Amino acid sequence: MLTCILTHAQITVPSPSPAGSVYSKVGLTDVTIDYHRPKVRDRIIFGAGEEALLPYGNLWRTGAGNGTILTLSTDAKIAGKEVKAGKHLILTIPEEEDWTFILYSDLDIDGANLSGNFTEDNVELKTTVTATTPAEEVQSLTFQISDISDDNTTANIVFSWSDVRFEVPIEVSFDDIVLQDIANKTVVEPINYIRAASYYYTYDKDLDQALTWVNTYLDMEGHDTHFWYMYLKAQILAKLGKKKEAIKTATRSIELAEKSPRGDLGYTKKNKALIASLK
């Protein structure tokens, strides 16, 4: 009995390469990187000599433990190349300047004999990235998802450890997803006409379609006094270059806003500014 207790009573201690995870929504795509974070610990990490932990030219799992996994909830472009939704193992080949970045389909490749078990058949993406030197030495291996663009279509996957940093661009598209959502949901919830119109207006898509959607909503019974959405209509008309119609719509929005028992909600000022910009 004592032997059994000693066998199973193991203590828990911190891992020298603790698990880490980074997540971000880019557009409508969930981007997650799960990895383990080795530390420098006064070692030479990358280099050409035998003293380097990771010599140049050798295939690497880009982390410790079972390797680094990139998960995408939708298809995306990485370094300009199409990558399917799902899980992908990140492999790299360190070099003094230009590293090789690889996405690999076999998540369970044997790390103890990585090069020996590697096969091109499982390569989903292979590209070259330029390694730079961070301002300060990075003690723990770190991944980030940063530089998300204003239109939520692009970002960078950033790797940094020791004296090396590199970026891999990621690009997503969500038009098809949004269009399908619009088609499915406007029928059961009319406010989605406004959401669809606002989306098209914001991202400079088909403005005639945006105008049709906002008109569809405003033409419904009880909606013709919604001056806050009439302002959106005026904005769309202005972007279409229909200045007279935009001014007329903005003026009507002001009239309704000033009569509102709840107050104008700031739309008098917004509409006046829009009218001034069109004169």
Side-chain angles (χ1 to χ4, degrees):
M1 179 63 71
L2 180 59
T3 302
C4 180
I5 293 173
L6 292 175
T7 300
H8 292 88
Q10 298 180 10
I11 64 171
T12 301
V13 298
S15 168
S17 301
S21 183
V22 59
Y23 161 83
S24 182
K25 177 88 73 175
V26 183
L28 295 177
T29 303
D30 295 315
V31 182
T32 306
I33 301 174
D34 295 301
Y35 64 112
H36 286 79
R37 309 183 65 193
K39 299 177 177 64
V40 172
R41 297 200 298 270
D42 296 322
R43 298 175 295 179
I44 297 173
I45 303 301
F46 306 108
E50 294 181 358
E51 71 276 10
L53 176 67
L54 297 166
Y56 294 146
N58 290 348
L59 190 65
W60 179 42
R61 287 176 297 170
T62 325
N66 295 325
T68 297
I69 305 295
L70 167 69
T71 305
L72 303 171
S73 65
T74 73
D75 296 351
K77 283 186 178 180
I78 296 180
K81 300 177 182 180
E82 296 284 351
V83 176
K84 295 294 184 182
K87 295 182 180 295
H88 314 271
L89 182 67
I90 295 179
L91 303 176
T92 50
I93 301 175
E95 296 289 358
E96 187 171 1
E97 295 182 1
D98 294 334
W99 284 39
T100 301
F101 178 90
I102 299 166
L103 292 184
Y104 200 71
S105 63
D106 181 5
L107 307 184
D108 299 318
I109 186 172
D110 183 9
N113 185 24
L114 190 60
S115 296
N117 290 296
F118 179 87
T119 171
E120 291 289 339
D121 292 342
N122 291 326
V123 172
E124 301 171 300
L125 176 149
K126 182 182 288 187
T127 190
T128 299
V129 293
T130 300
T132 60
T133 303
E136 296 181 0
E137 185 177 47
V138 180
Q139 292 300 313
S140 295
L141 189 152
T142 301
F143 275 98
Q144 295 173 296
I145 301 165
S146 64
D147 307 317
I148 299 175
S149 61
D150 289 342
D151 64 0
N152 289 304
T153 61
T154 63
N156 282 319
I157 296 169
V158 181
F159 165 94
S160 53
W161 189 32
S162 185
D163 58 351
V164 172
R165 182 184 189 277
F166 66 74
E167 298 180 354
V168 183
I170 178 171
E171 180 180 353
V172 300
S173 175
F174 43 82
D175 286 352
D176 291 344
I177 299 172
V178 172
L179 286 172
Q180 188 60 53
D181 216 30
I182 290 168
N184 293 339
K185 294 179 179 178
T186 49
V187 176
V188 296
E189 191 174 348
I191 192 62
N192 282 311
Y193 285 114
I194 294 298
R195 292 170 181 152
S198 179
Y199 169 72
Y200 267 39
Y201 169 77
T202 300
Y203 290 102
D204 293 320
K205 296 186 179 297
D206 186 342
L207 293 176
D208 288 313
Q209 179 62 71
L211 184 60
T212 297
W213 279 326
V214 77
N215 280 335
T216 299
Y217 179 86
L218 292 172
D219 287 343
M220 292 179 177
E221 185 176 355
H223 293 176
D224 58 348
T225 59
H226 292 185
F227 57 85
W228 48 95
Y229 295 138
M230 202 167 289
Y231 171 68
L232 173 61
K233 177 180 176 179
Q235 288 180 298
I236 294 170
L237 287 165
K239 193 175 274 192
L240 279 167
K242 299 180 179 182
K243 292 185 178 182
K244 290 183 179 180
E245 293 181 53
I247 291 171
K248 181 179 179 181
T249 301
T251 301
R252 178 57 179 160
S253 179
I254 291 172
E255 293 171 356
L256 292 169
E258 291 177 340
K259 293 178 182 178
S260 172
R262 296 188 297 165
D264 72 351
L265 306 176
Y267 281 89
T268 297
K269 182 178 179 179
K270 291 180 180 180
N271 278 293
K272 285 183 177 180
L274 178 61
I275 291 169
S277 71
L278 297 172
K279 291 183 176 179

